[in-house]
């Protein structure tokens, strides 16, 4: 295990007890209070009795200790390698400022990263990801993150998908990351309606305690997008020219289940976010007659509409 929650809790509990002993504050009541607050319920008697009886020779009978140095939790080589990998991630600057990051890299300069981005290949990932090195993007991301932590609203200047400049107030609820798109999005509320905003389209934003400072903003012009919802489609796959293998590869990152109906016919059920619906339509169509949409009817209609539009375009040409 890379990090052990259980053993870290035990070690930190004993470290707190030793620190109190070094300060001359420890007695039986404080010892058991620390154990109760810091460790797990089942360890309440185990740790306390082990220290008081001397089975763990860290605390003497008079609640003093022979340990002179303040207890620390040194990192293992594996933990250092994991941290080095995070430091090399292009998104780390969104969460850690330059000064802290420089110190970390200096301390880990002789450590090999546990993994690099070259160790992973993400199939069908878009190449126009967010600009993680852009100072304005970093500033906006951290402002949004601070607003979420402090439960505050932010005043936003935003460029919509068609280039419209908008100015409004929103209450960010959480940030989500799309690995396929390589983009961060904000799930937020604007006038009690859910909205999803791409952080890369935020021109500027700032924390605001009073919405009066943005009272002139035209909230009605905000292009609201419904909150992402889970949806399911069922496909029938005719396994010619390795269609089943190609379908499984194309939808590798979706939650799915497959059942073999006959020797060369399979039924595949896909679960997806509503945001991915347009892309899913395009992918299904790419397999031509090898894939048939069984349900839902609304998705079948999207397929039919896309085919009809394509036929019309072909007639015009």
């Amino acid at each position: 295990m890379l990090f052990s929650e259980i053993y870290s809790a035990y070690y930190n509990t004993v470290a707190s007890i030793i620190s109190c002993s070094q300060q001359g504050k420890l007695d039986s009541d404080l010892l058991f209070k620390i154990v109760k607050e810091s460790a797990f319920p089942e360890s309440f008697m185990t740790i306390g009795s082990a220290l008081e009886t001397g089975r763990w020779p860290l605390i003497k009978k008079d609640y003093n200790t022979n340990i002179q140095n303040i207890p620390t939790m040194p990192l293992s080589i594996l933990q250092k390698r994991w941290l080095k990998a995070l430091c090399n991630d292009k998104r780390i600057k969104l969460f850690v400022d330059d000064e802290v990051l420089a110190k970390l890299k200096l301390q880990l300069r002789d450590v090999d990263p546990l993994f690099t981005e070259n160790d992973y290949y993400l199939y069908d990932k878009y190449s126009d990801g967010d600009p993680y090195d852009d100072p304005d993007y970093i500033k906006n991301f951290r402002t949004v993150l601070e607003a979420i932590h402090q439960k505050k609203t932010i005043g936003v200047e935003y460029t919509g998908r068609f280039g419209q400049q908008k100015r409004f107030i929103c209450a960010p609820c959480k940030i989500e990351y799309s690995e396929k798109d390589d983009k961060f999005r904000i799930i937020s509320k604007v006038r009690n309606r859910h909205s999803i905003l791409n952080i890369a389209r935020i021109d500027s934003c700032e924390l605001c305690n009073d919405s009066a400072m943005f009272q002139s903003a035209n909230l009605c012009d905000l292009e609201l997008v419904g909150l992402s919802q889970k949806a399911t489609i069922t496909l029938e796959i005719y396994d010619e020219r390795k269609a089943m293998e190609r379908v499984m590869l194309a939808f590798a990152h979706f939650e799915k289940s497959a059942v073999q109906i006959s020797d060369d016919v399979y039924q595949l059920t896909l679960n997806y976010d509503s945001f991915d619906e347009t892309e899913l339509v395009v992918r299904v169509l790419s397999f031509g007659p090898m894939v048939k949409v069984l349900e839902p009817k609304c998705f079948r209609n999207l397929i039919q509409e896309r085919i009809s539009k394509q036929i019309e375009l072909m007639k015009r040409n």
Side-chain angles (χ1 to χ4, degrees):
M1 295 174 63
L2 185 57
F3 298 104
S4 175
E5 179 181 343
I6 295 177
Y7 286 108
S8 291
Y10 290 157
Y11 293 154
N12 287 325
T13 299
V14 175
S16 297
I17 293 172
I18 293 173
S19 296
C20 287
S21 177
Q22 291 172 333
Q23 299 170 26
K25 299 178 180 178
L26 189 66
D27 56 23
S28 181
D29 291 339
L30 182 56
L31 187 151
F32 281 95
K33 180 181 178 182
I34 294 173
V35 174
K36 183 178 180 180
E37 293 177 350
S38 304
F40 298 96
E42 62 271 16
S43 60
F44 178 73
M45 295 303 298
T46 304
I47 295 177
S49 61
L51 290 172
E52 285 194 322
T53 60
R55 185 156 54 89
W56 293 357
L58 303 172
I59 302 296
K60 297 188 293 185
K61 291 183 178 181
D62 60 359
Y63 295 99
N64 289 316
T65 180
N66 291 325
I67 299 175
Q68 297 181 355
N69 296 323
I70 298 175
T72 59
M73 286 283 289
L75 297 177
S76 66
I77 296 299
L78 184 60
Q79 290 173 326
K80 291 180 180 179
R81 293 187 63 194
W82 181 79
L83 286 173
K84 183 64 173 286
L86 291 189
C87 288
N88 292 340
D89 191 294
K90 58 186 177 182
R91 295 159 293 190
I92 191 66
K93 291 182 179 179
L94 303 177
F95 304 93
V96 180
D97 60 41
D98 293 339
E99 183 178 352
V100 174
L101 186 58
K103 289 181 179 178
L104 279 173
K105 288 185 175 181
L106 180 62
Q107 294 172 349
L108 300 170
R109 61 185 180 278
D110 298 325
V111 177
D112 293 326
L114 186 62
F115 55 85
T116 68
E117 61 178 10
N118 295 327
D119 294 325
Y120 298 90
Y121 176 74
L122 299 179
Y123 176 76
D124 207 18
K125 178 180 179 179
Y126 289 106
S127 59
D128 60 340
D130 283 354
Y132 301 116
D133 292 325
D134 184 276
D136 291 333
Y137 179 91
I138 295 173
K139 179 182 177 182
N140 293 335
F141 186 97
R142 291 180 180 177
T143 300
V144 172
L145 199 60
E146 184 179 357
I148 293 173
H149 290 161
Q150 297 186 12
K151 301 185 185 304
K152 291 185 177 182
T153 58
I154 54 174
V156 177
E157 292 185 2
Y158 189 81
T159 300
R161 71 171 73 177
F162 300 113
Q164 319 96 308
Q165 296 291 322
K166 304 175 185 293
R167 193 165 180 257
F168 53 88
I169 297 171
C170 71
C173 304
K174 67 176 181 177
I175 297 175
E176 67 174 19
Y177 174 72
S178 170
E179 190 172 53
K180 178 174 62 68
D181 296 332
D182 192 23
K183 296 179 183 296
F184 282 96
R185 295 186 285 246
I186 310 171
I187 308 299
S188 61
K189 281 187 177 181
V190 180
R191 284 191 172 177
N192 296 321
R193 295 184 62 187
H194 284 101
S195 173
I196 296 176
L197 308 171
N198 289 332
I199 295 183
R201 290 182 179 171
I202 296 178
D203 299 317
S204 65
C205 64
E206 59 182 349
L207 295 174
C208 56
N209 296 318
D210 187 355
S211 59
M213 63 184 295
F214 285 89
Q215 60 184 355
S216 62
N218 190 351
L219 299 179
C220 296
D221 289 340
L222 177 61
E223 181 181 1
L224 294 173
V225 183
L227 192 62
S228 177
Q229 297 179 348
K230 293 292 183 180
T232 302
I233 62 168
T234 302
L235 308 175
E236 190 169 83
I237 302 166
Y238 305 99
D239 195 16
E240 298 179 17
R241 300 195 298 272
K242 297 183 177 180
M244 184 61 182
E245 180 180 338
R246 291 187 290 116
V247 167
M248 295 298 284
L249 183 61
F251 300 117
H253 64 287
F254 289 94
E255 181 183 350
K256 56 191 173 297
S257 61
V259 177
Q260 187 171 6
I261 305 301
S262 63
D263 291 341
D264 57 354
V265 179
Y266 295 83
Q267 187 169 297
L268 181 68
T269 302
L270 289 175
N271 298 322
Y272 66 97
D273 289 330
S274 57
F275 288 135
D276 296 324
E277 190 165 71
T278 301
E279 180 191 350
L280 205 60
V281 169
V282 174
R283 290 196 185 190
V284 169
L285 283 170
S286 69
F287 292 98
M290 304 302 173
V291 174
K292 177 182 179 182
V293 179
L294 298 180
E295 55 183 20
K297 185 177 179 180
C298 60
F299 196 90
R300 287 172 58 90
N301 292 338
L302 290 175
I303 294 287
Q304 292 172 356
E305 290 174 8
R306 183 62 68 98
I307 293 175
S308 298
K309 289 180 180 179
Q310 190 64 37
I311 292 174
E312 289 296 324
L313 289 174
M314 292 174 64
K315 288 181 179 178
R316 294 175 185 175
N317 295 331

